[in-house]
Amino acid sequence: MSEQNAAVLRRVVEGVWNAKNPALISELYSEDFVMHTPVGTFQGQDGYRQIYDTYVTAFPDCRFTVDDLFATGDKVVLRYTYAGTHDGELMEVAPTGKRVSIGGISIARIADGKIAEEWPVWDLHGVMQQIGADS
């Protein structure tokens, strides 16, 4: 079961983010999904789409690299690197054309083959520094 659960997060990285296919969100996230982030709580598939839209708009060429991925029971841990070019607005910061690269970790709980809950942590301060918005 753990390998199947890890495969769900790998599909999020490769399909949703790297292939820019947000239609997969409804396949991979439960309807009552909850995401606990450093910037607030997002609920449901629409909540996940909000995060996706924010970061794909700000960094249209973004890519995730899987640095570590492992699962135990119903939990999956992903350590990743996110990189992209700031070509769209992010948190009221106009596009700078600057390249960013940050690390993050996400813990997801899988239920019935879908992500039911997620706790991601990423270096938002590092992103803001790299685009020149936070010194």
Side-chain angles (χ1 to χ4, degrees):
M1 182 62 84
S2 292
E3 283 182 31
Q4 292 169 329
N5 289 345
V8 173
L9 242 59
R10 187 168 295 280
R11 284 191 68 207
V12 169
V13 168
E14 294 173 359
V16 175
W17 289 93
N18 291 348
K20 307 293 184 284
N21 186 358
L24 290 175
I25 291 170
S26 60
E27 233 178 88
L28 299 170
Y29 288 86
S30 66
E31 289 183 18
D32 58 350
F33 167 74
V34 178
M35 180 183 260
H36 312 274
T37 79
V39 296
T41 300
F42 295 82
Q43 297 190 339
Q45 295 169 358
D46 288 340
Y48 192 84
R49 280 186 191 90
Q50 184 180 350
I51 291 281
Y52 175 84
D53 289 344
T54 296
Y55 284 92
V56 169
T57 298
F59 304 95
D61 65 346
C62 68
R63 295 215 31 100
F64 275 87
T65 301
V66 174
D67 298 318
D68 285 302
L69 179 65
F70 56 92
T72 182
D74 66 347
K75 298 282 185 353
V76 180
V77 177
L78 168 66
R79 185 175 66 86
Y80 61 85
T81 302
Y82 174 92
T85 308
H86 184 221
D87 285 335
E89 185 176 305
L90 177 67
M91 298 180 178
E92 300 181 3
V93 177
T96 63
K98 293 183 178 180
R99 194 89 183 128
V100 303
S101 179
I102 57 131
I105 295 174
S106 186
I107 300 171
R109 182 176 60 82
I110 310 295
D112 299 321
K114 293 187 175 192
I115 300 170
E117 201 165 9
E118 190 170 1
W119 298 265
V121 178
W122 64 90
D123 185 7
L124 182 57
H125 181 70
V127 169
M128 301 311 277
Q129 280 185 319
Q130 289 176 54
I131 63 175
D134 189 18
S135 12

